[in-house]
């Protein structure tokens, strides 16, 4: 980074910009941002931190840091192909050049651009000319401004579109430092001919969330445990919410069957979400199915109070004894809190997370849920709950230690 000031002079106010899908209601991404902010302030207390994200107003309000939009002035959709082509040539190209100038102006005084988590290097819900192109744009602009770029504990892959693979590989090639949150990401990048041999693997940044703010867990071992059920509005592995809802309906039906099995055995079920915007539909649809089957969702056997903040979802997870979930950060935060987890996996990153936690045998594919097997996994997990909790607490501590080493390397060494 830029040289430190001479002794006796005022400390340099290093400028760090954080890039990610923040401010849009995804509670896992917000947890990542909070962990980053906390640790940057630990290691670089005089840093000026800003954020580049799709929800700058929400981020600015929540964290009191300057925030700007990843892509300004997007063009509204137009159906006519000829008009769309003409607009792209005569309006889109000049506008994109203007956007490049705005990005360069935004980064001209920044010392470090941090690309952080938030699923940015996979194609689940991301088009090539969407976030992947923007990542490359901001990375190139940073290098033109002599601003260092790091990809910090990011997940990568799969990338089914050739253009996405090109944009991601080109952006990563420009980075001054790269680390991935699991071996799957690193191996995947090598499989698409990106030279990641010398790159690092560290845990997901959410594991570095400040421990003194984590809620205390509950123990209902004397009664029936409270089961946390994490829902996701899921259509298919391309995250395509088209008219075909076959997979979504099948997923909800099987989850409802499992919840019915729990309720019949007098368990209490707490519904959990990981995205304030997208997961409301799955929550509401599940309630409708259960009520149609004669279950009363208002008698206390189902706790349904959707979280709207990281603090709320952590408190809700802490109040459970065992978690069955799909969203990546619902699973990760449960593991971080020492909760045994049965994962209904929609992505390779979930499989990798469960394997790293030593719970690979407690995973199901979201598109091929086997209810009988799921009930069996639940029974085994409940019997092993005490030993699993100890194992998960050790794993979370090891993850925090590893991330401390990475923060020290990135921030202390570069800013000394």
């Amino acid at each position: 980074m830029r040289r430190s000031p001479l002794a006796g002079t005022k400390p340099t106010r290093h400028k760090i910009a954080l890039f990610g899908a923040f401010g849009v209601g995804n509670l896992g991404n917000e947890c990542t941002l909070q962990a980053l902010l906390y640790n940057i302030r630990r290691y670089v207390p005089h840093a000026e931190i800003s954020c580049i994200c799709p929800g700058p107003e929400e981020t600015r309000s929540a964290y009191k840091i300057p925030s700007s939009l990843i892509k300004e002035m997007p063009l509204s959709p137009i159906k006519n192909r000829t008009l769309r082509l003409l607009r792209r040539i005569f309006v889109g190209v000049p506008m994109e050049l203007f956007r490049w100038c705005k990005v360069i102006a935004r980064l001209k005084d920044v010392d470090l651009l941090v690309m952080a988590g938030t699923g940015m290097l996979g194609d689940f819900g991301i088009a090539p000319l969407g976030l992947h192109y923007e990542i490359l744009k901001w990375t190139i602009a940073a290098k033109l401004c002599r601003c260092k770029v790091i990809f910090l504990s990011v997940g990568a892959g799969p990338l089914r579109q050739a253009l996405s693979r090109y944009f991601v590989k080109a952006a990563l090639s420009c980075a001054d430092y790269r680390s991935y949150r699991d071996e799957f990401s690193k191996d995947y990048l090598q499989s698409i001919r990106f030279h990641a041999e010398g790159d690092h693997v560290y845990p997901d940044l959410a594991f570095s969330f400040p421990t003194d703010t984590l809620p205390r867990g509950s123990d209902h071992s004397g009664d029936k445990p409270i089961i946390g059920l994490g829902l996701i509005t899921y259509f298919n592995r391309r995250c395509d919410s088209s008219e075909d809802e076959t997979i979504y309906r099948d997923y909800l039906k099987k989850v409802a069957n499992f919840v019915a099995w729990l309720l019949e055995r007098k368990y209490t079920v707490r519904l959990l979400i990981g995205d304030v915007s997208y997961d409301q539909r799955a929550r509401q649809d599940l309630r409708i199915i259960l009520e149609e089957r004669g279950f009363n969702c208002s008698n206390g056997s189902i706790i349904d109070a959707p979280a709207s903040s990281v603090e709320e979802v952590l408190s809700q997870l802490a109040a459970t004894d065992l978690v069955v979930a799909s969203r990546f950060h619902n699973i990760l935060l449960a593991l971080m809190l020492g909760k045994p987890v049965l994962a209904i996996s929609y992505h390779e990153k979930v499989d990798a997370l469960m394997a790293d936690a030593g719970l690979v045998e407690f995973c199901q594919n979201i598109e091929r849920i086997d209810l009988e097997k799921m009930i069996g996994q639940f029974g085994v997990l409940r019997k092993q709950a005490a030993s699993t909790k100890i194992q998960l607490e050790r794993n979370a501590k090891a993850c925090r230690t590893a991330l401390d080493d990475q923060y020290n390397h990135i921030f202390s060494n570069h800013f000394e």
Side-chain angles (χ1 to χ4, degrees), residues 120 122-123 126-128 130-136 159 164 167-168:
M120 63 171 65
D123 60 5
I126 301 175
L131 186 58
H132 294 151
Y133 169 72
E134 294 301 322
I135 290 169
L136 178 59
L159 295 164
S164 283
F167 287 153
V168 166

Side-chain angles (χ1 to χ4, degrees), residues 230-279:
L231 297 168
I232 183 172
T233 302
Y234 175 87
F235 294 94
N236 54 51
R237 289 189 177 268
R238 294 180 181 272
C239 195
D240 177 16
S241 56
S242 61
E243 294 181 0
D244 185 3
E245 296 190 353
T246 304
I247 294 174
Y248 172 69
R249 291 295 171 185
D250 185 62
Y251 157 71
L252 274 186
K253 178 183 176 182
K254 290 179 177 177
V255 169
N257 289 340
F258 181 67
V259 173
W261 183 86
L262 291 172
L263 295 176
E264 287 166 358
R265 284 151 185 82
K266 307 304 180 183
Y267 287 98
T268 299
V269 177
R270 176 182 283 275
L271 302 185
L272 304 164
I273 60 171
D275 192 293
V276 175
S277 301
Y278 288 105
D279 292 344

